[in-house]
Amino acid sequence: MTQTSPTGERSAWPPLREELRGLEPYGAPQLDVPVQLNTNENPYGPSPECIADIATAVAHAASTLNRYPDREFTELRTELAAYLSRDLSGPGRITPEMVWAANGSNEVMLQLLQAFGGPGRTALSFAPTYSMYPEYARDTHTRWVQGRREEDFSLDLDAARALIEAERPGVVLLPSPNNPTGTALPPEAVGVLCEAAASYEPQGLVVVDEAYGEFRRAGTPSALELLGTHRNLVVSRTMSKAFALAGARLGYLAADPEVLDAVRLVRLPYHLSAVTQAVALAALRHAPELLGKVDDLRAERDACVAWLREQGLTVAESDANFVLFGTFADRHAVWQGLLERGVLVRETGPQGWLRVSIGTPEEMASFRSALTEVIAAAPDPHDPHTLEAP
Ligand SMILES: Cc1ncc(COP(=O)(O)O)c(C=O)c1O
């Protein structure tokens, strides 16, 4: 937008940073439709007991709201450490000194970029991947480098290691499972890439973003297992997905305590409100219930993959609570057709692909019947790959 001054000169308004001009804010459409399968949330809400416990905890926090909250959220870090330690297969332990939290793992990772990225430094990931990563880099004036994934969305480990050694990034962002493809990293990848990022000075941090970690298939270890082996490894988690707490905004990481000291330099004072801390603590007390549907969601995911393949579609292997499928000549037409039938999926990922989050059995049935109708309405119903805009 431009504004004319009293002297008739035209200037840009608002006086935004040059590189932000004309950009759209990130965010999936929030539309009020019956079946919302577009932001990878857990479709199951909390039980009445859990709601009551959260309400009691919030009421208690409310009585202290004249004071700033515990800046170090010590109790929450202790409980998160205990929760993470239960995810380890060996005798290792995650201690509260290794755990940090913020308002969603988005904020956790932005803080990491603020501390370890910045002017003259590089952040690196492998596309297609989570579309917020380049925004963290942009917002912290960090150079952004993007390698490519293979055709099946896996990582070519040798090429990935070579790219890290050549670009010497301060931060490598590695989601596992990856969004939007659902691809988990093979067990050997984390160690190899941590070593690559430790081979230059100053070393790079390797952030394994396990936002969807709890949905991984049996036999896929968490990167948490390697925290004792690689000092430059950070594992990021969130309560937004498997934990069914997206509305509370609580993400966290586990890392070497000295990495946390660096993050403390850039965090805003009292960034985690007393209410957020109380809600997260109450939710952690109900962890078995909130996580209780993860196995059902995994089974629903595998059934969804099988069904999509039966329809002749191409489907990416998924270790997450969503599935990337396609490919459509006009994916927007398919997205729109589903929306018109009350089903919201996400138009994201490489051209021609769509992503569906795994919902309840009823929601998935609606998705299947809507997609069947959309494909049948295509100009050549026998070849959905050629589905064109109406
Ligand atoms: C790979 C990945 N990481 C991180 C996030 C951020 O989640 P939150 O900020 O809710 O913790 C998301 C959200 O969709 C994601 O897909």
Side-chain angles (χ1 to χ4, degrees):
M1 211 185 283
T2 56
Q3 197 182 47
T4 308
S5 74
T7 56
E9 287 162 27
R10 287 165 69 78
S11 66
W13 189 260
L16 189 61
R17 268 166 55 189
E18 198 58 53
E19 67 274 25
L20 297 180
R21 288 238 170 93
L23 297 184
E24 292 292 325
Y26 171 87
Q30 287 193 307
L31 305 177
D32 189 14
V33 293
V35 182
Q36 308 200 354
L37 302 175
N38 71 330
T39 48
N40 303 340
E41 296 146 329
N42 188 323
Y44 297 100
S47 68
E49 296 75 41
C50 180
I51 294 169
D53 203 11
I54 289 176
T56 307
V58 170
H60 181 71
S63 70
T64 70
L65 286 181
N66 56 315
R67 301 288 179 193
Y68 283 114
D70 174 7
R71 193 170 47 213
E72 284 288 316
F73 40 99
T74 313
E75 194 185 349
L76 179 56
R77 284 171 42 220
T78 304
E79 293 309 318
L80 286 170
Y83 168 69
L84 286 180
S85 296
R86 290 200 288 276
D87 211 8
L88 297 177
S89 57
R93 211 167 65 82
I94 309 285
T95 62
E97 295 70 39
M98 298 166 68
V99 175
W100 181 255
N103 297 283
S105 53
N106 267 310
E107 187 179 37
V108 168
M109 287 186 278
L110 181 66
Q111 290 176 340
L112 287 170
L113 270 273
Q114 286 175 318
F116 298 98
R121 292 199 170 194
T122 298
L124 184 149
S125 192
F126 298 88
T129 194
Y130 184 40
S131 42
M132 275 303 294
Y133 294 160
E135 298 208 11
Y136 309 150
R138 179 198 71 196
D139 294 347
T140 56
H141 301 272
T142 308
R143 178 175 161 257
W144 174 242
V145 172
Q146 199 159 255
R148 299 293 316 167
R149 286 173 178 265
E150 300 291 277
E151 191 94 323
D152 65 355
F153 306 126
S154 65
L155 268 193
D156 174 340
L157 259 193
D158 288 337
R161 180 177 39 201
L163 189 65
I164 291 173
E165 286 166 359
E167 299 288 349
R168 303 163 74 95
V171 181
V172 181
L173 292 159
L174 285 178
S176 183
N178 183 38
N179 179 10
T181 64
T183 326
L185 285 175
E188 67 278 14
V190 178
V192 168
L193 301 181
C194 282
E195 277 168 21
S199 68
Y200 48 87
E201 277 298 329
Q203 292 190 21
L205 286 189
V206 173
V207 181
V208 179
D209 176 359
E210 292 192 348
Y212 304 96
E214 289 97 338
F215 293 107
R216 68 191 186 275
R217 284 176 283 191
T220 308
S222 163
L224 290 169
E225 313 268 359
L226 295 174
L227 277 174
T229 317
H230 300 283
R231 204 170 55 164
N232 62 337
L233 171 64
V234 176
V235 182
S236 169
R237 288 278 184 106
T238 181
M239 294 180 85
S240 299
K241 308 295 180 182
F243 225 99
L245 211 67
R249 309 302 300 124
L250 200 288
Y252 54 104
L253 64 73
D256 181 303
E258 289 186 67
V259 169
L260 268 65
D261 286 341
V263 171
R264 284 186 176 91
L265 298 174
V266 299
R267 60 106 179 94
L268 293 175
Y270 313 107
H271 66 290
L272 219 48
S273 84
V275 172
T276 304
Q277 294 184 40
V279 172
L281 277 165
L284 280 162
R285 286 194 288 276
H286 289 266
E289 174 208 315
L290 291 169
L291 292 163
K293 295 289 186 185
V294 165
D295 283 345
D296 291 355
L297 288 165
R298 279 203 201 105
E300 199 67 54
R301 168 198 66 207
D302 295 341
C304 177
V305 169
W307 181 82
L308 286 165
R309 287 192 176 138
E310 280 163 24
Q311 310 316 300
L313 293 164
T314 308
V315 189
E317 291 296 337
S318 176
D319 270 84
N321 65 334
F322 54 83
V323 174
L324 192 71
F325 65 100
T327 56
F328 303 107
D330 185 349
R331 69 169 169 184
H332 184 71
V334 182
W335 179 86
Q336 187 69 43
L338 292 171
L339 184 60
E340 281 157 14
R341 291 162 178 83
V343 178
L344 180 61
V345 300
R346 190 79 186 269
E347 201 177 343
T348 185
Q351 265 313 316
W353 294 80
L354 292 170
R355 191 193 71 196
V356 61
S357 309
I358 302 303
T360 62
E362 297 72 31
E363 288 171 329
M364 297 316 288
S366 302
F367 164 71
R368 287 192 297 272
S369 71
L371 188 60
T372 306
E373 280 182 30
V374 172
I375 289 175
D380 179 356
H382 301 297
D383 187 0
H385 302 262
T386 64
L387 197 77
E388 299 289 353

